[in-house]
Amino acid sequence: MREPEVVVGIDVAKVRLDLGVHPSGESWTVEHDEAGIATVVERLVAARPTLVILEATGGLEVAVVAALVAAEVPVQVVNPRQVRAFAKAIGQLAKTDRLDALLLARFGAAIRPTPRPIPDAALQEVRALVARRRQLQAMVIAEKNRRASAPKRLHTQIDEHLAWLRRAVAALDRDLGTTIRSTSAWQTAVSRWRSVPGSGPVVSATLLADLPELGTLTRQQIAALVGVAPLNHDSGAHRGTRSCWGGRAHVRTALYMGTLVATRCNPAIATYYQRLLAAGKPKKLALVACMHKLLTILNALTRNGTRWQAHLPSVNTAA
């Protein structure tokens, strides 16, 4: 008789790790430190689970995931929102660390989430640099907004802080460039993406850090993953308005800024954008459609291992 598949959920907190096993219901806890992570890896290597599930927790899970990947334990990091929706669907309203670990295990067994590439240590560093740049840019925008309503006596102080923030962003850009150039595969990928008008250094770095699936999925799948695929809202005879929802917000934000540039300097995107506007489409809808097209082009170039050619704007994006 075939043995039931074992799925393990790990609830990650600052001070401890709670583990739950499906279908046995076993659970245990260790400290969230090097010794505790080593214990988790040792036990899971011996148990040989089918899958280990963790929630994305803003970086707290990184050390655990890295240790499991190094030990060749199958591990998947999932969106907490999906797990909470699953809990509501099965009627689990109570919430403790132990219950959350068991819930993650049950979620993994029921849903079997699509595996997402786990970045290695070097790519984690690139991701951290991109995230820090994003944080600094948010601070720049916040300070500029504060300056607009602040009394004049505070303008000098705010201006000094803005100047410091801009220098920090510039330093991060240099650091990112150096880091990317240190790996030939990254340099090749970024060079390929930057050959597309509209896909500048920020878009390319964001794709490298936060969209490792680029080039491995179909155009429909990559659009849904990023959140630029229109979703149906139909019921019976009613046909609702299509809208985009979910996806990776950081990638979508970078892609939006790149698309704004592409509508002016990329012949394929600019022509498509003007055609949509001429057909009476709202500007926002037209921009989202152009984001979809730009992403499709980048996905095709990555899959085919080719670069953008201005005289051949129609890239083969059928797959």
Side-chain angles (χ1 to χ4, degrees), residues 1 10-11 16 75 105 135 158 168 180 252:
M1 183 175 178
I10 305 180
D11 182 75
R16 72 178 195 177
V75 59
Q135 293 164 0
I158 295 174
I180 290 171
R252 195 165 55 251

Side-chain angles (χ1 to χ4, degrees), residues 16-99:
R16 72 178 195 177
L17 303 171
D18 286 270
L19 288 87
V21 182
H22 180 84
S24 70
E26 177 190 1
S27 62
W28 42 287
T29 302
V30 298
E31 296 297 315
H32 190 176
D33 53 21
E34 289 186 9
I37 293 174
T39 300
V40 168
V41 171
E42 183 180 355
R43 291 189 61 168
L44 292 185
V45 167
R48 300 177 64 184
T50 304
L51 185 63
V52 177
I53 297 287
L54 301 89
E55 287 181 329
T57 56
L60 290 177
E61 78 285 358
V62 170
V64 183
V65 172
L68 291 172
V69 170
E72 299 184 350
V73 176
V75 59
Q76 178 66 26
V77 181
V78 298
N79 189 325
R81 184 175 59 201
Q82 292 177 303
V83 179
R84 295 321 307 167
F86 178 77
K88 292 178 182 178
I90 63 175
Q92 180 171 317
L93 303 180
K95 191 178 187 308
T96 67
D97 292 340
R98 175 182 174 275
L99 289 176

Side-chain angles (χ1 to χ4, degrees), residues 151-318:
K152 288 187 176 180
R153 64 187 296 175
L154 294 178
H155 284 190
T156 300
Q157 183 187 76
I158 295 174
D159 288 342
E160 290 174 353
H161 190 210
L162 279 169
W164 182 89
L165 287 170
R166 290 184 178 115
R167 288 195 300 272
V169 170
L172 265 176
D173 286 340
R174 290 192 295 271
D175 196 359
L176 260 173
T178 302
T179 303
I180 290 171
R181 287 191 297 272
S182 67
T183 302
S184 60
W186 294 350
Q187 189 172 4
T188 300
V190 168
S191 176
R192 179 178 300 122
W193 298 331
R194 291 194 64 178
S195 71
V196 182
S199 179
V202 175
V203 173
S204 299
T206 302
L207 293 176
L208 179 65
D210 297 321
L211 197 61
E213 299 89 348
L214 194 66
T216 66
L217 304 178
T218 67
R219 57 192 176 91
Q220 294 90 350
Q221 290 171 329
I222 201 72
L225 187 63
V226 174
V228 293
L231 304 177
N232 295 347
H233 292 273
D234 300 336
S235 180
H238 173 73
R239 294 295 178 267
T241 303
R242 278 31 175 181
S243 62
C244 298
W245 188 85
R248 297 184 187 169
H250 299 321
V251 177
R252 195 165 55 251
T253 299
L255 198 63
Y256 176 80
M257 300 307 295
T259 302
L260 287 177
V261 177
T263 56
R264 297 191 297 270
C265 66
N266 184 312
I269 302 297
T271 301
Y272 184 52
Y273 181 61
Q274 293 303 322
R275 188 167 73 243
L276 290 172
L277 295 181
K281 302 297 184 184
K283 285 189 175 182
K284 185 175 181 180
L285 187 151
L287 278 172
V288 173
C290 289
M291 290 168 63
H292 188 295
K293 187 173 184 66
L294 178 59
L295 179 63
T296 300
I297 291 171
L298 291 165
N299 190 57
L301 293 178
T302 306
R303 182 187 64 243
N304 300 334
T306 55
R307 294 170 61 87
W308 171 267
Q309 299 180 56
H311 63 287
L312 294 173
S314 297
V315 179
N316 178 15
T317 58

Side-chain angles (χ1 to χ4, degrees), residues 102-174:
L102 290 169
L103 175 67
L104 284 167
R106 188 172 174 184
F107 171 86
I111 305 300
R112 289 302 175 90
T114 303
R116 177 181 176 183
I118 303 296
D120 57 22
L123 194 54
Q124 286 282 7
E125 186 176 343
V126 172
R127 180 173 291 181
L129 291 172
V130 171
R132 182 55 181 165
R133 187 190 190 283
R134 194 161 52 235
Q135 293 164 0
L136 291 173
Q137 280 294 96
M139 293 181 204
V140 169
I141 294 171
E143 283 290 73
K144 289 172 70 174
N145 291 338
R146 293 187 189 103
R147 190 184 189 282
S149 59
K152 288 187 176 180
R153 64 187 296 175
L154 294 178
H155 284 190
T156 300
Q157 183 187 76
I158 295 174
D159 288 342
E160 290 174 353
H161 190 210
L162 279 169
W164 182 89
L165 287 170
R166 290 184 178 115
R167 288 195 300 272
V169 170
L172 265 176
D173 286 340
R174 290 192 295 271

